[in-house]
Amino acid sequence: MSSSTSVRTDAPAVVLTGITKRFPGVVANSDVHLTVRTGEVHALCGENGAGKSTLMKILYGMQPPDEGTIEVNGEQVRFKTPADAIKAGIGMVHQHFMLADNLTVQENVVLGAEALHGIGAKARRKIQELAGQTGLNVDPGVLVEQLGVADRQRVEILKVLFRGAKVIILDEPTAVLVPQEVDELFATVRGMQEQGFTFLFISHKLDEVRAIADSVTVIRRGTTVGTADPKTVSSRQLAEMMVGSELPSPETRTSTVTDIPVLTVSGLVLSAPDGRALLDSIDLVVHSGEVVGIAGVEGNGQTELVETVMGMRKASAGTVTLGDDDLSKLGTLARREAGIGYIAEDRHRHGLLLTQPLWFNRILGYQTRKPTAKGAWLDREGAKRDTERIVEEFDVRTPGIDVPAAALSGGNQQKLVVGRELAGDPKLLIASHPTRGVDVGAQALIWDEIKNARARGLAVLLISADLDELIGLSDTIKVMLRGRLVADADPSTVTPEDLGSAMTGAGSTSAAVHEEGEN
Amino acid sequence: MSVMTKPAAATPKRGRKLPGWAIGMLGVAGAIALLSTTSYLTNFPQLTSSGTTQTAVRLALPILLAGLGGLWAERAGVVNIGLEGMMIMGTWGAAWAGYQWGPWAALVSAMVFGALGGLLHAIATVTFGVNHIVSGVAINLLGAGVTKYLSTLLFFPVSHNPRESPPVPKFDTYSAAGLTDWLATLENEQRVVLSDVAGILRGLLTGVSPLTMIAILLVPASYLVLWKTRFGLRLRSCGENPWAAESLGVNVYVHKYIAVIASGALAGIGGAALVLNPGQPGYLEGQTGGRGFIGLAAMIFGNWRPGGLLGGAALFGYADGLQLRSGGETVLALLYGAVILLGVLVILQLVRRKWFAAAFGIAAAVVLYFLYYSLDEIPSELTSYAPHMVTLVVLAVASQRLRMPAADGVVYRRG
C-alpha cells in the first residue's frame, strides 16, 4: 500500500548519530541512530516510554542531547531552541495540540513566525493560500476552540507549512482521529510528499505505519533496534521488534454473557444549559459477564453518558439502576459504594492526584470503605498494604509506594488505576479509554484484567476510540452519534471501517451494523 | 495535490456579532439614558452634574490604571493580586520624588517603584515558580510594610508626621474653556437628557491634567500593543498556552517578565494618580484603600479586555465620586437606578423565556425599591463602601459569562 515515490539519493534529510540523553535516574535515549532520506515518510515505532518523544524533542531543539550529533541535509547542527530547528526547516506537529484555544487560527499560525509575513492581511492571504494543501476550510479569523479535532490538526500542519519546514515530524497524529479522518490525513501526507516534503511519522499503530511509511525504524527501551521495509515486514513482526516478545491481542475467546442485568439505563436525558440535548433518551443494559462497547467520534456524548451514570452530572430525566438498586438520585460516592468501578478517560484530571504518593491515590474513591478506612478514619496501613498488593498483582513498575504518582509512566499509572477500580469486587466497571496513551505491555495487562473480571461475572461498559480494542473486547457494540445510541454492531463480524462510517453518521454500510429500530 | 472530500460541516461563525467599539457606544448610551432617567425621576441633578463627573474621573483613574496593570499581567498568564502592594509603592515613590522635584518626577518615580514591585512578583512567580496568589499577597504586605518604614525614615523629618508626606505639587489642569462655558449654561437649564449629557461632558472636559490624558490614552495604547503587534500576540499566547508558545520559539519567561514589570509600572502610575489628585495633599498611609483590588475587579468585569475594563473603572469611580460629592441621599438614588436597570433586565429575561432569572430579578428589584422607599439616606458608615458594594454586586452578576486567559495563574516550567 505504500506509495513508492522518487526518493532522491543525495544527502539524507536528517541523520541522528549516537544520540544519548539522560535524565536523573533514567536513560531516555542511548546510542540512537536514525537516518531519514529526503522525500520519504519515515515511521518511528516504539512503545510508550521507549524514548520516541524524547528523541523528537531533541531533534526539534526542545532538549539538548548529552551525546551524539544531528545532521540536517548533510550539515551538522546544534539546536538550542525550537526556533533553531524551525530555521533548519524542521517542523513538529505535537500529539497534544500546541494551540491556544482563545486565539484565532491566524494568530495561532503566525505566532512565533511574525517576521515572515507580519500578523495582518498579508499573513492572512498566505494562510488562505496554504490552507488548501492541508484540507483546512475555515476562515482564519475563527477561534480555534470552535474547530473539531481534525481541523485542529490541520491548523498544526498549517503552522509548520507557514514556517517553510521541509521536514515534518508527526507525533502520533492518528491517535485522536476516526478512520475516515485518518484516510484524509494520509491523503494530505501523500500529496505533500509528492511536493518534496519529508515526514517523520511517530506511531505505535502498526497497520497505519505499514499503510503510509516508506521505511520504519523501531525503538525499544531508548535505543534503536533496527530499520525495516514496511512492504516486506508484517505488523506482527514489527510489534515483536517493539516489545521484544510475544504479543497480546484484545480478543475475548468464549462468551460469558449471562442474562442477569447489572446496569440498566432507561430514558436517560441530559440537557446542556442552552437546552440542547447532550444525551437523548439513552436506553442501555449491561449484563453480568458482558462487555458493552460504545463507539463514537469524540464529543458525541460518550463522556457525558459516563459522567451521568457516575453521578458527576445530573440527568434531566431517566433512571440508572444497578442490580436492584435505583441510583438515579445518589451522588457519585454512593454510586461507587453501590459497586461501580470507574476508569476515567483522563487519569490526570479525574483518576489520580499526581503529586500524592501511590498509597494515597489508592484511597481516592474508597475513603469510606475497607481496607482504606476504619469507621470515620482513614486506614493508612490498610491503604499501604493494599497498594503493595496492586503493585504486585498488576505489575506496576515503581520504586515504591511512597513515590508520587507523577513519577510513574502513563502505563504504570493506568495499571494502578485499573487495580484500584477492580479492588473491592465491583459489579460494574466503567472503562473510558482504558488503554489510551499506554504502552503495549500495559495494554495487554489491562486487557487481561478486564477479561478475567468479565469471566468472574463483572459487567463492563467500555468506551474507546481504539476500534480494534472495542471490537476485540466487547460482546456488544453500540454506536453513539450526537447524544443518541444510533446503531448496534456485532463485534464478531464488524470491521473498523464499518464502525467508522456508522460513527460519522454515514449510515450502515455492512450487515454487521444495525441501525436502531431496524431489526 | 489531493482533493479532500470533507463532510460539509457548517463553517464556525466568527466570534462576536458586533464590533467592540459598537458595544462600547451602546453601553455608554445605555448608561447615560439610565442616569438621566433616574435623575429626572428622583430629582437629584447631582447624579449627572459636572462636579460628580469630574470627581468620578479623578477617582476612576487609579482604578483604571490598576486594572490595566492587571490586564497586562493576566494576559501573559500571571495573576497579579499584588497590584495593591505595587500601587502603595507607587504612592510612596510619587510623593518622595514629587515633593522634591515636581509632578513629572513623581510620575516617573511612581512608575519605577511600581515596576520594582512587578519585578519582584516576576522573579517569584516566573523564575521560582511560586504560586501567584502567595507571591501577590506577600507583595501586598511588603508594599505596606516597606513604605511605612521609608515614610518614617524620610518623610517624618520633613512633615513631622510618619504617616504623611510633605505636600506634593500637582499638575496644571486644562479645560476647554469656550466649550465648557456653553455646556455649563446648557447644564443649568435643567432640560431632560440634554442637561445630563452636558453635565457629564463638562465634567469630562474640565480640569483635565496630563496624567488624566496619559491614563485615558493608555487604554487604546494597551489594546493596540496587546492585540495588534507581534509582541502583543506573543505576550497573549503566554497567557493562553505557554507550552505552545515555547514550542514556536517564543521566549515565555522574557514575555512574562516584561508583562509583569509593565503591570507593576501601571499600578505605580495608579498610585501616582492618587497622590497627584488635586484633592489630596500628598502621600497618606492607607491611601490606596483597596483600589488595587477594585482595579482587578474592574478588569474581571471588563472580561480581560481594555474597553470593558474602562467601563468597569468608570462604574466604580462613579459610585465613589457620587458618595464623596453628595453623600448618602444620592447613593440612595442610585438604588432607584438599579431598580430601573433590573426592570430592563427582567424584560429581557422574559423575552428569552428565562423564568427563573426573571423571577430573581423581580425579587431583587422589589427589595431594592423597598429599601429606597423606606430609607431617607444611606447611613454615612455605609456610603463610603459604595464602590466596594458595587464591586461585589457587579462581580456576582457579571462573572457568569467571562472568559479568562486559559493559562492564567498556571505556574509555567520550561521543557
Side-chain angles (χ1 to χ4, degrees):
Chain A
M1 235 181 110
S2 148
S3 56
S4 54
T5 46
S6 54
V7 174
R8 273 162 268 159
T9 47
D10 49 358
V14 174
V15 181
L16 301 179
T17 318
I19 298 284
T20 299
K21 176 74 186 175
R22 298 179 197 89
F23 292 112
V26 253
V27 181
N29 287 143
S30 72
D31 196 27
V32 169
H33 295 266
L34 179 68
T35 304
V36 182
R37 285 164 298 161
T38 306
E40 74 170 348
V41 176
H42 192 110
L44 185 66
C45 285
E47 290 191 87
N48 276 53
K52 297 177 306 230
S53 299
T54 308
L55 188 62
M56 289 307 109
K57 280 183 180 168
I58 289 170
L59 178 56
Y60 190 54
M62 294 169 86
Q63 279 162 355
D66 294 332
E67 288 165 30
T69 58
I70 304 173
E71 282 174 42
V72 175
N73 297 326
E75 279 176 46
Q76 192 169 331
V77 288
R78 281 186 74 83
F79 298 146
K80 289 196 191 68
T81 66
D84 297 338
I86 292 166
K87 261 185 225 131
I90 294 175
M92 178 147 172
V93 175
H94 298 265
Q95 178 185 5
H96 303 289
F97 297 147
M98 290 287 194
L99 296 171
D101 286 355
N102 203 14
L103 301 185
T104 63
V105 169
Q106 180 173 346
E107 287 175 328
N108 269 289
V109 172
V110 301
L111 176 63
E114 303 90 341
L116 295 174
H117 307 283
I119 66 171
K122 199 172 148 215
R124 187 186 165 89
R125 275 196 301 278
K126 182 76 183 168
I127 289 170
Q128 279 166 333
E129 184 187 314
L130 290 172
Q133 289 189 23
T134 65
L136 184 73
N137 187 22
V138 298
D139 186 299
V142 163
L143 291 183
V144 165
E145 67 179 356
Q146 296 178 321
L147 301 185
V149 173
D151 274 345
R152 288 180 190 216
Q153 190 167 56
R154 294 191 181 99
V155 175
E156 284 282 14
I157 296 174
L158 185 58
K159 267 161 70 175
V160 170
L161 285 183
F162 189 80
R163 287 161 172 73
K166 299 304 279 180
V167 179
I168 300 173
I169 305 169
L170 298 172
D171 188 2
E172 309 236 357
T174 61
V176 290
L177 302 179
V178 295
Q180 278 77 359
E181 292 171 334
V182 171
D183 291 343
E184 286 178 16
L185 172 71
F186 283 2
T188 305
V189 167
R190 289 212 189 84
M192 289 172 64
Q193 186 185 12
E194 276 161 27
Q195 299 186 335
F197 289 95
T198 307
F199 285 91
L200 237 170
F201 182 90
I202 302 174
S203 182
H204 56 222
K205 291 190 183 163
L206 301 174
D207 295 332
E208 290 172 359
V209 166
R210 293 181 59 234
I212 188 76
D214 299 313
S215 50
V216 184
T217 296
V218 176
I219 184 167
R220 183 169 84 217
R221 296 213 188 104
T223 190
T224 37
V225 288
T227 301
D229 181 349
K231 271 162 281 184
T232 56
V233 70
S234 75
S235 286
R236 212 165 170 83
Q237 285 168 309
L238 267 183
E240 277 164 14
M241 280 171 84
M242 275 163 64
V243 189
S245 64
E246 285 290 304
L247 269 189
S249 88
E251 240 122 287
T252 44
R253 305 226 158 31
T254 49
S255 171
T256 58
V257 183
T258 63
D259 54 3
I260 312 163
V262 174
L263 174 73
T264 313
V265 174
S266 55
L268 196 66
V269 178
L270 178 72
S271 305
D274 58 10
R276 200 163 41 91
L278 295 171
L279 296 176
D280 194 354
S281 53
I282 301 277
D283 294 306
L284 180 70
V285 180
V286 187
H287 298 94
S288 173
E290 183 186 27
V291 179
V292 173
I294 306 279
V297 181
E298 269 179 69
N300 273 287
Q302 301 96 311
T303 308
E304 288 79 3
L305 173 63
V306 166
E307 293 184 356
T308 313
V309 171
M310 282 309 295
M312 295 156 72
R313 291 168 185 255
K314 197 167 176 295
S316 320
T319 58
V320 176
T321 329
L322 186 72
D324 298 325
D325 308 330
D326 185 0
L327 302 185
S328 312
K329 298 235 173 347
L330 298 182
T332 304
L333 183 63
R335 291 186 194 211
R336 292 183 63 105
E337 286 168 351
I340 306 184
Y342 173 41
I343 302 170
E345 67 174 43
D346 184 342
R347 57 182 165 269
H348 293 172
R349 269 184 67 211
H350 287 136
L352 294 168
L353 292 173
L354 290 178
T355 55
Q356 296 295 322
L358 303 188
W359 62 264
F360 190 89
N361 276 291
R362 169 65 184 84
I363 301 177
L364 303 179
Y366 290 83
Q367 58 271 41
T368 53
R369 276 182 276 173
K370 288 187 173 186
T372 54
K374 272 185 198 158
W377 302 93
L378 292 182
D379 182 355
R380 291 171 161 239
E381 290 314 311
K384 286 183 180 169
R385 264 197 311 279
D386 204 58
T387 312
E388 297 278 10
R389 176 188 67 80
I390 291 174
V391 167
E392 179 90 3
E393 283 179 19
F394 289 78
D395 188 30
V396 181
R397 310 233 170 107
T398 168
I401 59 165
D402 287 316
V403 299
L408 270 57
S409 75
N412 285 310
Q413 288 174 354
Q414 191 73 345
K415 285 190 265 185
L416 180 75
V417 171
V418 172
R420 181 182 72 198
E421 298 305 329
L422 287 174
D425 282 324
K427 295 175 199 151
L428 170 71
L429 177 71
I430 298 181
S432 268
H433 308 281
T435 60
R436 171 179 280 179
V438 309
D439 54 87
V440 177
Q443 190 176 39
L445 186 134
I446 292 168
W447 283 340
D448 279 342
E449 290 297 337
I450 292 178
K451 280 183 243 172
N452 293 343
R454 165 179 171 273
R456 291 196 303 268
L458 182 78
V460 180
L461 182 62
L462 174 71
I463 286 89
S464 180
D466 179 346
L467 297 182
D468 291 321
E469 171 177 82
L470 210 54
I471 293 170
L473 278 180
S474 303
D475 298 300
T476 314
I477 294 180
K478 292 183 181 292
V479 180
M480 197 158 190
L481 181 66
R482 295 188 207 102
R484 302 177 56 193
L485 295 176
V486 292
D488 286 341
D490 178 357
S492 58
T493 50
V494 76
T495 64
E497 286 68 29
D498 298 335
L499 266 188
S501 74
M503 281 157 61
T504 50
S508 62
T509 51
S510 129
V513 182
H514 306 284
E515 302 221 4
E516 203 74 354
E518 192 180 85
N519 51 344
Chain B
M1 193 65 245
S2 62
V3 180
M4 294 288 146
T5 48
K6 252 173 70 73
T11 343
K13 285 179 300 221
R14 292 287 293 258
R16 293 199 283 176
K17 285 167 214 142
L18 277 174
W21 59 266
I23 294 176
M25 297 307 273
L26 278 177
V28 169
I32 291 180
L34 181 70
L35 284 180
S36 58
T37 317
T38 315
S39 118
Y40 175 69
L41 290 175
T42 57
N43 246 333
F44 279 115
Q46 295 97 314
L47 279 182
T48 54
S49 73
S50 57
T52 307
T53 316
Q54 206 181 335
T55 320
V57 169
R58 281 187 196 149
L59 292 168
L61 278 192
I63 296 171
L64 173 68
L65 287 158
L68 280 175
L71 178 77
W72 274 71
E74 303 222 349
R75 276 288 170 188
V78 178
V79 171
N80 194 352
I81 198 113
L83 284 171
E84 177 79 8
M86 298 171 197
M87 209 167 168
I88 296 177
M89 290 168 79
T91 55
W92 191 90
W96 175 73
Y99 91 86
Q100 303 180 74
W101 303 296
W104 284 105
L107 187 64
V108 173
S109 162
M111 262 175 81
V112 171
F113 270 78
L116 280 177
L119 178 65
L120 191 64
H121 193 47
I123 291 173
T125 55
V126 180
T127 304
F128 292 106
V130 175
N131 179 299
H132 299 179
I133 303 291
V134 171
S135 166
V137 170
I139 284 172
N140 287 339
L141 295 174
L142 192 74
V146 164
T147 49
K148 195 177 174 105
Y149 170 74
L150 288 176
S151 305
T152 316
L153 192 71
L154 295 175
F155 290 162
F156 183 58
V158 193
S159 69
H160 308 293
N161 182 348
R163 295 164 187 281
E164 210 178 312
S165 72
V168 177
K170 315 294 182 211
F171 280 115
D172 297 331
T173 56
Y174 306 89
S175 304
L179 193 57
T180 46
D181 292 344
W182 176 67
L183 286 170
T185 30
L186 211 55
E187 187 188 351
N188 292 330
E189 285 174 23
Q190 292 301 338
R191 282 199 254 165
V192 186
V193 183
L194 210 56
S195 297
D196 296 315
V197 174
I200 291 171
L201 274 182
R202 185 173 156 223
L204 290 177
L205 295 175
T206 310
V208 182
S209 78
L211 185 57
T212 316
M213 293 187 237
I214 290 173
I216 302 285
L217 282 178
L218 277 171
V219 177
S222 290
Y223 170 75
L224 289 176
V225 170
L226 289 179
W227 271 270
K228 295 290 164 194
T229 68
R230 146 185 182 164
F231 165 75
L233 174 62
R234 290 179 169 212
L235 192 148
R236 282 185 299 130
S237 74
C238 298
E240 296 290 343
N241 189 340
W243 299 275
E246 190 84 51
S247 80
L248 296 171
V250 174
N251 192 329
V252 175
Y253 288 177
V254 166
H255 282 84
K256 287 198 175 209
Y257 258 87
I258 295 174
V260 179
I261 291 171
S263 165
L266 285 163
I269 303 179
L274 282 172
V275 171
L276 297 176
N277 182 340
Q280 299 266 348
Y283 167 86
L284 256 178
E285 198 176 300
Q287 188 174 28
T288 53
R291 284 189 178 78
F293 297 115
I294 298 182
L296 213 55
M299 175 201 70
I300 294 170
F301 170 78
N303 200 8
W304 285 265
R305 293 187 142 264
L309 183 163
L310 180 64
L315 176 66
F316 299 136
Y318 178 77
D320 212 2
L322 193 65
Q323 63 92 5
L324 260 187
R325 188 88 186 172
S326 6
E329 282 183 313
T330 37
V331 175
L332 200 58
L334 265 196
L335 278 187
Y336 194 87
V339 172
I340 298 178
L341 183 61
L342 276 172
V344 174
L345 287 178
V346 162
I347 292 169
L348 267 180
Q349 300 291 2
L350 285 176
V351 169
R352 288 185 195 153
R353 298 171 176 275
K354 301 259 171 118
W355 310 120
F356 183 77
F360 185 78
I362 291 173
V366 167
V367 169
L368 284 181
Y369 188 76
F370 176 76
L371 279 178
Y372 169 74
Y373 185 77
S374 60
L375 294 175
D376 288 334
E377 65 175 303
I378 298 215
S380 58
E381 293 82 5
L382 284 181
T383 46
S384 57
Y385 287 101
H388 303 82
M389 306 263 197
V390 172
T391 312
L392 254 177
V393 172
V394 163
L395 281 187
V397 174
S399 61
Q400 303 296 321
R401 296 174 53 187
L402 299 179
R403 171 71 191 256
M404 69 193 300
D408 200 4
V410 175
V411 174
Y412 169 74
R413 299 271 73 154
R414 188 178 283 164

